Coordinates of all heavy atoms in Angstrom, one line a residue:
R1 N 0.8 -1.1 0.0 CA 0.0 -0.1 0.1 C 0.9 1.2 0.0 O 0.6 2.2 -0.8 CB -0.9 0.0 1.2 CG -1.9 1.0 1.3 CD -2.8 0.9 2.5 NE -3.7 -0.2 2.3 CZ -3.7 -1.3 3.2 NH1 -2.7 -1.3 4.2 NH2 -4.4 -2.2 3.1
E2 N 1.9 1.3 0.9 CA 2.8 2.4 0.9 C 3.6 2.5 -0.4 O 3.9 3.6 -0.8 CB 3.8 2.3 2.2 CG 2.9 2.6 3.4 CD 2.4 4.0 3.4 OE1 3.1 5.0 3.1 OE2 1.2 4.1 3.7
D3 N 4.1 1.3 -1.0 CA 4.8 1.5 -2.2 C 3.9 2.0 -3.2 O 4.4 2.8 -4.2 CB 5.3 0.0 -2.6 CG 6.3 -0.5 -1.7 OD1 7.1 0.2 -1.0 OD2 6.6 -1.8 -1.7
A4 N 2.7 1.6 -3.3 CA 1.8 2.1 -4.4 C 1.6 3.6 -4.2 O 1.5 4.3 -5.2 CB 0.3 1.4 -4.3
L5 N 1.5 4.1 -2.9 CA 1.4 5.6 -2.7 C 2.7 6.3 -3.1 O 2.6 7.2 -3.8 CB 1.0 5.9 -1.3 CG 0.8 7.3 -1.0 CD1 -0.4 7.9 -1.8 CD2 0.7 7.6 0.5
T6 N 3.8 5.7 -2.7 CA 5.0 6.3 -3.1 C 5.2 6.6 -4.6 O 5.7 7.5 -5.0 CB 6.2 5.4 -2.6 OG1 6.1 5.3 -1.2 CG2 7.5 6.1 -3.0
A7 N 4.6 5.7 -5.4 CA 4.7 5.9 -6.9 C 3.9 6.9 -7.5 O 4.2 7.6 -8.4 CB 4.3 4.5 -7.5
V8 N 2.7 7.3 -6.8 CA 1.9 8.2 -7.3 C 1.8 9.6 -6.5 O 1.2 10.5 -7.0 CB 0.3 7.7 -7.3 CG1 0.2 6.5 -8.3 CG2 -0.3 7.4 -6.0
L9 N 2.5 9.6 -5.4 CA 2.5 10.7 -4.4 C 2.9 12.0 -5.3 O 2.3 13.2 -5.1 CB 3.1 10.5 -3.2 CG 2.9 11.5 -2.1 CD1 1.4 11.7 -1.9 CD2 3.5 11.1 -0.8
P10 N 4.1 12.0 -6.0 CA 4.5 13.3 -6.7 C 3.4 13.8 -7.7 O 3.2 14.9 -7.6 CB 5.7 12.7 -7.3 CG 6.3 11.6 -6.6 CD 5.1 10.9 -6.1
S11 N 2.8 12.9 -8.3 CA 1.6 13.2 -9.3 C 0.5 13.9 -8.6 O 0.0 14.9 -8.9 CB 1.2 12.2 -10.2 OG 2.4 11.7 -11.0
L12 N 0.2 13.4 -7.4 CA -1.0 13.7 -6.6 C -0.6 15.1 -6.0 O -1.5 16.1 -6.0 CB -1.4 12.8 -5.5 CG -2.0 11.5 -6.0 CD1 -2.1 10.5 -5.0 CD2 -3.4 11.8 -6.8
S13 N 0.6 15.2 -5.5 CA 1.1 16.5 -5.0 C 1.0 17.7 -6.0 O 0.5 18.7 -5.6 CB 2.5 16.4 -4.4 OG 2.8 17.6 -3.7
D14 N 1.4 17.4 -7.2 CA 1.4 18.3 -8.2 C -0.1 18.6 -8.6 O -0.3 19.9 -8.7 CB 2.1 17.9 -9.5 CG 3.7 17.9 -9.3 OD1 4.1 18.4 -8.4 OD2 4.1 17.2 -10.2
A15 N -1.0 17.6 -8.8 CA -2.3 17.8 -9.1 C -3.0 18.7 -8.2 O -3.9 19.6 -8.6 CB -2.9 16.4 -9.4
F16 N -2.8 18.6 -6.8 CA -3.5 19.3 -5.8 C -2.8 20.5 -5.3 O -3.3 21.2 -4.4 CB -4.0 18.3 -4.7 CG -5.1 17.4 -5.1 CD1 -4.8 16.0 -5.4 CD2 -6.5 17.9 -5.3 CE1 -5.9 15.2 -5.8 CE2 -7.4 16.9 -5.6 CZ -7.1 15.6 -5.9
G17 N -1.6 20.7 -5.8 CA -0.7 21.9 -5.3 C -0.3 21.7 -3.8 O -0.4 22.6 -3.2
L18 N 0.1 20.5 -3.4 CA 0.3 20.3 -2.1 C 1.8 20.7 -1.7 O 2.0 20.8 -0.6 CB 0.1 18.8 -1.6 CG -1.4 18.3 -1.8 CD1 -1.5 16.8 -1.5 CD2 -2.4 19.1 -1.1
G19 N 2.7 20.6 -2.7 CA 4.0 21.0 -2.4 C 4.7 19.6 -1.8 O 4.1 18.6 -1.9
A20 N 5.9 19.9 -1.2 CA 6.6 18.8 -0.7 C 6.0 18.2 0.4 O 5.3 18.9 1.3 CB 8.0 19.4 -0.3
V21 N 6.0 16.9 0.4 CA 5.3 16.0 1.5 C 6.4 15.8 2.6 O 7.4 15.1 2.3 CB 4.6 14.8 1.0 CG1 4.2 13.9 2.1 CG2 3.6 15.1 0.0
S22 N 6.3 16.2 3.8 CA 7.2 16.0 4.9 C 6.8 14.9 5.7 O 7.7 14.4 6.5 CB 7.4 17.3 5.7 OG 6.1 17.7 6.3
D23 N 5.6 14.5 5.8 CA 5.2 13.4 6.5 C 3.9 12.8 6.1 O 3.1 13.4 5.6 CB 5.0 13.8 8.0 CG 4.7 12.6 9.0 OD1 5.5 11.6 8.9 OD2 3.9 12.6 9.7
R24 N 3.8 11.5 6.1 CA 2.5 10.7 5.7 C 2.4 9.6 6.6 O 3.3 9.0 7.1 CB 2.6 10.3 4.2 CG 3.6 9.0 3.9 CD 3.4 8.6 2.6 NE 4.1 7.4 2.5 CZ 5.0 7.2 1.4 NH1 5.3 8.2 0.7 NH2 5.5 6.0 1.3
R25 N 1.1 9.3 6.8 CA 0.6 8.3 7.8 C -0.5 7.5 7.2 O -1.5 8.2 7.0 CB 0.5 8.8 9.2 CG 0.1 7.8 10.2 CD 0.0 8.3 11.6 NE -0.9 9.4 11.4 CZ -1.6 10.0 12.4 NH1 -1.7 9.3 13.5 NH2 -2.5 11.0 12.2
F26 N -0.4 6.3 7.1 CA -1.6 5.5 6.6 C -2.6 5.4 7.8 O -2.1 5.1 8.9 CB -1.1 4.1 6.0 CG -2.3 3.3 5.8 CD1 -3.0 3.5 4.6 CD2 -2.7 2.1 6.5 CE1 -4.2 2.8 4.2 CE2 -3.6 1.3 6.1 CZ -4.5 1.7 5.0
L27 N -3.8 5.5 7.5 CA -4.8 5.5 8.5 C -5.6 4.1 8.4 O -6.5 4.0 7.7 CB -5.8 6.7 8.5 CG -5.1 7.9 8.5 CD1 -6.1 9.1 8.1 CD2 -4.5 8.3 9.7
A28 N -5.2 3.2 9.2 CA -5.7 1.8 9.0 C -7.1 1.6 9.6 O -7.8 0.6 9.2 CB -4.8 0.9 9.8
H29 N -7.6 2.6 10.4 CA -8.9 2.5 11.0 C -10.2 3.0 10.3 O -11.2 3.0 10.6 CB -8.9 3.0 12.4 CG -8.5 4.5 12.4 ND1 -7.2 4.8 12.3 CD2 -9.2 5.6 12.3 CE1 -7.1 6.2 12.4 NE2 -8.3 6.6 12.3
G30 N -9.8 3.4 8.9 CA -10.9 4.0 8.2 C -12.0 3.0 7.6 O -11.5 1.7 7.4
L31 N -13.2 3.3 7.5 CA -14.2 2.3 7.0 C -14.2 2.2 5.6 O -14.6 1.1 5.1 CB -15.6 2.7 7.6 CG -15.7 2.7 9.1 CD1 -17.1 3.3 9.4 CD2 -15.5 1.5 9.6
M32 N -13.9 3.2 4.8 CA -14.0 3.2 3.5 C -12.8 3.7 3.0 O -12.1 4.4 3.5 CB -15.3 3.9 3.0 CG -16.6 3.5 3.6 SD -18.0 4.6 3.1 CE -17.6 6.2 3.8
N33 N -12.5 3.4 1.7 CA -11.3 3.9 0.9 C -10.0 3.4 1.7 O -10.0 2.9 2.7 CB -11.4 5.4 0.8 CG -12.7 5.8 0.2 OD1 -13.1 5.3 -0.9 ND2 -13.5 6.7 0.8
R34 N -8.9 4.0 1.0 CA -7.7 4.0 1.7 C -7.3 5.4 2.1 O -7.4 6.2 1.1 CB -6.7 3.3 0.9 CG -6.7 1.8 1.0 CD -5.7 1.0 0.3 NE -5.7 1.0 -1.3 CZ -6.5 0.1 -1.9 NH1 -7.2 -0.8 -1.2 NH2 -6.5 0.1 -3.1
N35 N -6.9 5.7 3.4 CA -6.7 7.1 3.7 C -5.4 7.3 4.4 O -4.8 6.3 5.0 CB -7.8 7.4 4.8 CG -9.1 7.3 4.3 OD1 -9.6 7.9 3.4 ND2 -9.9 6.3 4.8
W36 N -4.8 8.5 4.0 CA -3.6 8.9 4.7 C -3.7 10.3 5.2 O -4.3 11.1 4.8 CB -2.4 8.9 3.5 CG -2.0 7.6 3.1 CD1 -1.0 6.8 3.5 CD2 -2.6 6.9 2.1 NE1 -0.9 5.6 2.8 CE2 -1.8 5.7 1.9 CE3 -3.6 7.0 1.1 CZ2 -2.2 4.7 0.9 CZ3 -3.9 6.1 0.2 CH2 -3.2 4.9 0.1
R37 N -2.9 10.5 6.2 CA -2.8 11.9 6.7 C -1.3 12.5 6.1 O -0.4 11.7 6.3 CB -2.6 12.0 8.2 CG -2.5 13.4 8.8 CD -2.2 13.2 10.3 NE -2.1 14.5 10.9 CZ -1.0 15.2 11.0 NH1 0.1 14.7 10.5 NH2 -1.0 16.4 11.6
L38 N -1.5 13.5 5.4 CA -0.2 14.1 4.9 C 0.0 15.4 5.4 O -0.9 16.3 5.5 CB -0.4 14.4 3.3 CG -0.7 13.1 2.4 CD1 -1.1 13.7 1.0 CD2 0.3 12.0 2.5
A39 N 1.3 15.6 5.8 CA 1.8 16.9 6.1 C 2.7 17.4 5.0 O 3.5 16.7 4.6 CB 2.7 16.8 7.4
T40 N 2.2 18.6 4.5 CA 2.9 19.1 3.2 C 3.2 20.5 3.4 O 2.9 21.2 4.4 CB 1.9 19.1 2.0 OG1 0.9 20.0 2.2 CG2 1.3 17.6 2.0

């Protein structure tokens, strides 16, 4: 899951204008989707 995110995170950061990602955390307790907390 983290490897898959690593591959697409630069494109997502560009798409949403997030800038550099300084921290990310997978949120395993979500009911739907796959969710992360990103510090950017």
Side-chain angles (χ1 to χ4, degrees):
R1 187 177 293 117
E2 285 301 309
D3 290 345
L5 180 64
T6 298
V8 300
L9 195 52
S11 296
L12 291 171
S13 183
D14 287 345
F16 288 104
L18 302 178
V21 177
S22 59
D23 186 47
R24 73 174 190 236
R25 183 177 46 149
F26 177 70
L27 305 172
H29 55 277
L31 297 176
M32 302 176 297
N33 307 308
R34 283 190 276 280
N35 304 294
W36 290 265
R37 180 187 183 276
L38 299 179
T40 76

